[in-house]
Amino acid sequence: MFTSRIESLHILEAACWQELERAASDRQHAWRLMTLATVNGDEADARTIVLREAHRASQSLVFYSDARAGKVRQIEQQPKGTLVMWSSELGWQLRLRVRMQVATSGADVTSRWAQVRLTSAAADYLAGAAPGSALSPLVPERATREHFAVVTAQVQSLDWMELHPDGHRRALFEASQGTWVQP
């Protein structure tokens, strides 16, 4: 938590990434759960995802999905999306325009699965039926790791807004260039 308002765009961008990195490891951080908006045909589609990793150096975020989920098909058809998060503690909203890539195999997926499979979250990727499919009759079969997908979201722009009693502020960061903009 910041005790005073940040005035420098450079420091502000660093603070946003610091909060994202903290959210990836702190289950209580408001930004750990974020809304992902994708394109589904000619409509928008949104859902909550869990931030698993944030990497300032590569300007990327990582979340997991069942490979059979609608969002994975949507990302494969149109890899652009938006992530939105709000922290009442900070008074900050963050909107990230991202370009996503889905991986279902390879060393990165295998190493992440090795960690996830030891947790209760593993059940999220082991259901016998695909997300959103009808459960009649209910088949309690378990699948294997092939449904575990790692989604990497490359941040294209970061749109920060602060809601504050002394005045709202907004800044836009694109290609490491920050600009103050009208809220």
Side-chain angles (χ1 to χ4, degrees):
M1 171 95 174
F2 301 95
T3 56
S4 63
R5 295 181 84 183
I6 298 171
E7 300 299 330
S8 160
L9 286 167
H10 178 72
I11 293 171
L12 178 58
E13 182 182 25
C16 288
W17 279 101
Q18 176 185 341
E19 291 299 320
L20 285 166
E21 289 171 340
R22 192 166 67 95
S25 62
D26 179 357
R27 292 177 183 260
Q28 302 308 311
H29 196 291
W31 288 358
R32 177 132 171 116
L33 298 176
M34 41 180 76
T35 301
L36 169 65
T38 55
V39 176
N40 184 16
D42 62 350
E43 296 181 351
D45 198 4
R47 82 282 292 148
T48 302
I49 56 107
V50 178
L51 177 63
R52 301 296 181 173
E53 300 172 27
H55 305 284
R56 181 180 181 195
S58 63
Q59 303 274 295
S60 64
L61 306 174
V62 173
F63 63 93
Y64 305 149
S65 178
D66 185 306
R68 301 166 294 176
K71 68 178 161 286
V72 170
R73 285 189 308 279
Q74 293 165 10
I75 291 167
E76 289 171 342
Q77 291 175 4
Q78 173 53 268
K80 294 179 183 177
T82 301
L83 289 163
V84 180
M85 59 228 66
W86 164 253
S87 169
S88 59
E89 180 182 348
L90 295 168
W92 291 4
Q93 172 186 272
L94 201 59
R95 291 188 309 156
L96 305 172
R97 302 268 188 237
V98 297
R99 185 167 202 68
M100 295 169 284
Q101 183 174 20
V102 178
T104 57
S105 62
D108 286 344
V109 175
T110 300
S111 66
R112 287 178 174 104
W113 176 250
Q115 294 172 2
V116 170
R117 73 183 196 90
L118 302 174
T119 70
S120 61
D124 297 341
Y125 314 104
L126 294 174
S133 60
L135 291 178
S136 182
L138 179 60
V139 180
E141 84 180 62
R142 294 299 242 191
T144 58
R145 193 212 61 79
E146 75 259 9
H147 301 302
F148 178 70
V150 175
V151 181
T152 302
Q154 190 69 45
V155 176
Q156 307 294 300
S157 70
L158 186 153
D159 187 339
W160 169 89
M161 186 160 65
E162 177 186 53
L163 301 182
H164 195 278
D166 294 337
H168 307 325
R169 299 183 306 158
R170 184 173 171 200
L172 182 62
F173 299 90
E174 295 179 295
S176 296
Q177 190 73 24
T179 308
W180 292 108
V181 295
Q182 178 65 33

